Amino acid sequence: MHDVLRVPARNQPAVNDFALKLANVNGTGSASANGLLMQAIFRMGIPVTGKNLFPSNIQGLPTWYEIRVNKDGYGARALDYDLMVAMNSQTYVRDVREVRSGGYLMYDSSWPLDPELLRNDVTFLGVPLAKMCNESFAEPRERILMKNIAYAGALCAALDIDMGVVDELLGEKYGRKKALLDSNHKALKLGYNYTRDNFACPLPFHLAKMDANGDKILIDGNTATALGCLYAGATVAAWYPITPSTSVLDAFKALCEKYRRDPDTGKNNFMIIQAEDELSAIGMVLGANWNGARAFTSTAGPGISLMNELIGLAYYAEIPAVIIDVQRVGPSTGMPTRTQQGDVLLSAYASHGDTRHILLFPSSPAECFEFAVKSFDLAEHFQTPVLMLSDLDIGMNDWVIPRLKWDDSFRPDRGKVLTAEELQAMANYFRYSPEDQDHVAARTLPGVDSKGSFFIRGSGHNKLGGYTEIPDEYKEVMDRLKLKHQASAKYVPAPIIHNRPGARFGVLSSGGCDPAVREALDILEERGVPADYLRVRGFPFDKPVEEFLASHEFTFVVEQNRDAQLKALLTLETPVPKEKLRSVLVYGGFPLSARHVVDAILDQIEN
């Protein structure tokens, strides 16, 4: 045994229930090694989640990847790490500090570890990764990249990861590139063999095959969103690259190139345009929707800010549009590679003047797929912008979700669109009158029939579409738009409600908070503090949200922003007294943990 300082292991080894954190340098290729580990654990049938905490530069700054294995399926971020893989000397102090008492730290022992870093309650595993790779590979860049694969091999030995599964994954990725495949296998064996030869393997906490992922997939929210847009029938997308939403359009482009090409002519049945900025992008989306296409854009908070005036145009002129907002930390440029829920109020009331928009709040990639489809139906049914608010944690991290399903009987809701025959049967056509039971007037598409032509405007207009500055005529249109928005409450995804016997209070959240909140509620119940739970999935809020708030003496609103934006929206848009709402706010940019929720709720109850 070499380079190891031993401390007593856990009394009860945690099989399939532990967390590890991998500390590296951005730009060194660690993502490939971390993804390999994540996928191998998933294919062993074990519930697993991965959180990529990366900087907003190309290379050089610290980056971390967290993997949580939990046989019961809890997927929120862990804050206690059983194993730290410290590959960045610049963050050694922080990385050593974050290992739980009784945990392990693996490091590159090619260089000696500063004795001041040692902890008596942590086991240090030194593996000479750089030395082995320098001796085994000739090219400098290859040595750096293969060092990461070597630590993946060391973890395979330490955690008992099935090497057959790892070999299968490498074969799928590099099967047509023999030199790369051989290099990866070689590096993997270097780390694996050294660890097996020098340390007691597996560690007390390790992996054992399960069958919990049989009908599940591993996918990120941005890919699932793109897939939903494809299935919804979207054929036009306009965008400007912005973290963390760029991969939505990357995935949509790849899907369209595969599934939206005419098999006979080879011509594209889609159009994707990279605009010069977000303002141009939303303008193109409005033009395409006005012409009858299903069109969307993806962006983040700064993009929503730039789009505000044209979002207002779409609301007032009643043009469908779908906007995918993958939220990140603000204000301004903020922290582009950190997650937050900071665009709630910005999105609900985007543009100047009196506007209210339909919002959808997915909590997982599964709902990103489902809600993307729903967004297009809502946009066209109500002829208005619909914003789907995902976030970086959902969008860019890998999640284990049930296999996506599709109903082949699905038919899109295109809303009230008049045909040439319907127009010919009418004495006159007016764009904004008459209205139906949802306060929506029928629209027409360009070129269908000259009788259906109209002049669209963002300035004051009356219910017939004519220009006006007469107060009563303006108010008549604005009042109908308000009623239309209220009517959409019956159509947005209904909230998910979980009631527990003996609940003393309520908890409400939305989006990516859900995994942490559900785990926190289980912990609170075990401690004798049961609570009911409502997860908001859409805005405007329907009666079940109001009834939940009214039925509890007080309700904790859990969200990831400083200013309690969801709580503010509930106060503005429901009759609940603000005294009945209490905030749990976590907004540092990292994904939410159950401990954050438990500690905040218990602290407020006790005090």
Side-chain angles (χ1 to χ4, degrees):
M1 300 292 178
H2 301 286
D3 295 303
V4 60
L5 172 63
R6 295 217 166 270
V7 298
R10 285 185 176 185
N11 294 327
Q12 295 180 340
V15 177
N16 293 342
D17 187 11
F18 59 88
L20 62 146
K21 188 170 185 177
L22 303 108
N24 219 302
V25 178
N26 204 35
T28 59
S30 59
S32 295
N34 300 338
L36 180 68
L37 294 166
M38 177 81 174
Q39 293 175 57
I41 297 169
F42 171 75
R43 291 203 184 179
M44 289 176 68
I46 305 166
V48 61
T49 52
K51 305 293 186 187
N52 192 10
L53 312 178
F54 60 103
S56 56
N57 73 331
I58 296 174
Q59 62 182 21
L61 290 182
T63 183
W64 291 271
Y65 192 76
E66 301 176 349
I67 296 177
R68 183 183 181 186
V69 176
N70 184 270
K71 62 183 183 297
D72 297 318
Y74 290 125
R77 182 181 176 227
L79 297 179
D80 295 313
Y81 306 104
D82 301 277
L83 173 61
M84 177 72 68
V85 180
M87 299 293 293
N88 183 1
S89 60
Q90 295 180 0
T91 62
Y92 271 175
V93 173
R94 173 178 176 176
D95 297 334
V96 171
R97 185 174 63 244
E98 290 189 351
V99 183
R100 68 159 183 87
S101 181
Y104 289 70
L105 183 140
M106 181 180 289
Y107 69 101
D108 187 349
S109 62
S110 302
W111 301 275
L113 197 65
D114 188 338
E116 293 186 2
L117 294 172
L118 298 178
R119 283 175 49 187
N120 293 329
D121 61 340
V122 170
T123 299
F124 288 78
L125 307 174
V127 182
L129 297 163
K131 182 175 183 296
M132 291 190 298
C133 289
N134 287 344
E135 293 172 352
S136 302
F137 299 100
E139 296 296 325
R141 180 62 179 167
E142 188 179 31
R143 291 171 175 175
I144 294 172
L145 297 176
M146 289 305 110
K147 186 170 72 169
N148 294 319
I149 301 301
Y151 79 60
L155 290 174
C156 288
L159 301 175
D160 212 9
I161 296 176
D162 189 326
M163 288 295 283
V165 171
V166 176
D167 288 340
E168 182 181 85
L169 287 166
L170 288 176
E172 291 173 7
K173 188 171 184 179
Y174 302 115
R176 296 182 181 180
K177 303 175 182 178
K178 187 177 184 303
L180 275 174
L181 182 62
D182 290 345
S183 295
N184 276 267
H185 273 302
K186 186 176 182 180
L188 200 71
K189 287 294 185 183
L190 287 174
Y192 183 88
N193 290 338
Y194 185 92
T195 304
R196 293 286 293 184
D197 292 344
N198 290 281
F199 307 121
C201 295
L203 300 179
F205 50 89
H206 54 271
L207 302 167
K209 280 190 173 181
M210 293 177 62
D211 190 22
N213 298 332
D215 197 35
K216 296 181 179 178
I217 60 172
L218 193 64
I219 191 172
D220 65 86
N222 284 354
T223 300
T225 297
L227 197 60
C229 293
L230 183 87
Y231 271 77
T235 56
V236 177
W239 66 303
Y240 184 77
I242 183 171
T243 303
S245 71
T246 295
S247 55
V248 173
L249 261 296
D250 289 342
F252 185 70
K253 177 176 179 289
L255 289 166
C256 285
E257 288 173 345
K258 186 172 183 179
Y259 297 109
R260 289 234 190 287
R261 238 172 215 156
D262 188 295
D264 298 323
T265 65
K267 292 184 178 180
N268 292 338
N269 291 324
F270 67 93
M271 178 177 288
I272 298 173
I273 307 169
Q274 180 176 325
E276 62 266 37
D277 54 33
E278 289 87 352
L279 183 62
S280 300
I282 188 61
M284 294 173 184
V285 167
L286 297 186
N289 277 291
W290 177 72
N291 272 282
R294 283 198 149 184
F296 75 100
T297 187
S298 66
T299 189
I304 300 293
S305 298
L306 288 173
M307 295 177 187
N308 258 239
E309 184 175 359
L310 284 179
I311 293 175
L313 168 66
Y315 173 82
Y316 193 39
E318 300 182 66
I319 306 171
V322 171
I323 302 166
I324 308 297
D325 178 12
V326 188
Q327 297 171 94
R328 70 188 207 190
V329 175
S332 188
T333 305
M335 296 191 290
T337 58
R338 298 288 184 255
T339 194
Q340 204 173 80
Q341 295 174 315
D343 298 345
V344 177
L345 292 176
L346 169 68
S347 299
Y349 304 117
S351 192
H352 59 280
D354 294 320
T355 52
R356 278 189 178 92
H357 303 297
I358 297 172
L359 309 181
L360 302 187
F361 305 104
S363 69
S364 68
E367 287 191 338
C368 285
F369 174 76
E370 175 189 347
F371 289 7
V373 178
K374 186 71 172 176
S375 295
F376 286 95
D377 278 2
L378 288 168
E380 292 197 313
H381 183 95
F382 288 98
Q383 301 174 15
T384 195
V386 173
L387 294 90
M388 188 178 93
L389 271 61
S390 177
D391 61 46
L392 183 146
D393 182 27
I394 299 172
M396 296 192 70
N397 285 324
D398 290 323
W399 295 57
V400 177
I401 63 168
R403 187 175 298 277
L404 299 174
K405 295 180 179 179
W406 181 252
D407 182 357
D408 285 333
S409 66
F410 168 81
R411 294 295 179 270
D413 181 354
R414 302 305 306 267
K416 299 191 69 173
V417 182
L418 297 176
T419 64
E421 293 74 19
E422 290 171 323
L423 285 165
Q424 284 299 321
M426 298 173 64
N428 292 291
Y429 168 70
F430 298 108
R431 173 63 184 93
Y432 303 115
S433 183
E435 62 191 81
D436 65 11
Q437 69 278 5
D438 291 326
H439 309 282
V440 181
R443 65 182 176 127
T444 61
L445 300 180
V448 170
D449 191 281
S450 59
K451 201 170 184 180
S453 62
F454 61 94
F455 183 73
I456 196 164
R457 63 176 77 245
S459 55
H461 59 262
N462 60 27
K463 69 177 183 180
L464 302 181
Y467 178 78
T468 187
E469 293 186 15
I470 298 172
D472 288 345
E473 291 184 347
Y474 166 77
K475 286 172 60 180
E476 186 177 21
V477 172
M478 291 298 291
D479 289 345
R480 179 180 64 80
L481 291 177
K482 182 178 180 180
L483 291 171
K484 183 176 75 167
H485 182 261
Q486 291 172 348
S488 70
K490 302 291 184 185
Y491 294 79
V492 302
I496 301 295
I497 301 174
H498 297 285
N499 293 316
R500 296 176 184 242
R504 296 168 49 190
F505 53 88
V507 175
L508 183 148
S509 77
S510 69
C513 292
D514 183 57
V517 171
R518 285 189 288 107
E519 183 180 355
L521 292 176
D522 288 346
I523 295 170
L524 287 169
E525 186 168 43
E526 291 173 2
R527 298 185 184 182
V529 190
D532 294 332
Y533 177 42
L534 183 145
R535 176 164 64 86
V536 170
R537 302 201 299 166
F539 171 76
F541 306 123
D542 202 7
K543 288 296 182 183
V545 176
E546 296 184 10
E547 291 167 356
F548 182 89
L549 296 174
S551 65
H552 294 88
E553 181 182 351
F554 58 90
T555 297
F556 289 98
V557 182
V558 182
E559 51 187 314
Q560 295 182 83
N561 57 71
R562 185 195 68 182
D563 292 340
Q565 294 186 28
L566 180 57
K567 176 185 169 185
L569 194 62
L570 289 163
T571 304
L572 289 167
E573 300 287 345
T574 73
V576 61
K578 64 180 180 180
E579 295 78 14
K580 293 183 68 173
L581 300 180
R582 304 183 182 184
S583 287
V584 173
L585 306 174
V586 180
Y587 48 91
F590 286 164
L592 189 66
S593 166
R595 188 199 298 172
H596 291 135
V597 181
V598 171
D599 289 351
I601 288 177
L602 290 179
D603 182 64
Q604 292 193 50
I605 289 175
E606 292 167 0
N607 293 319

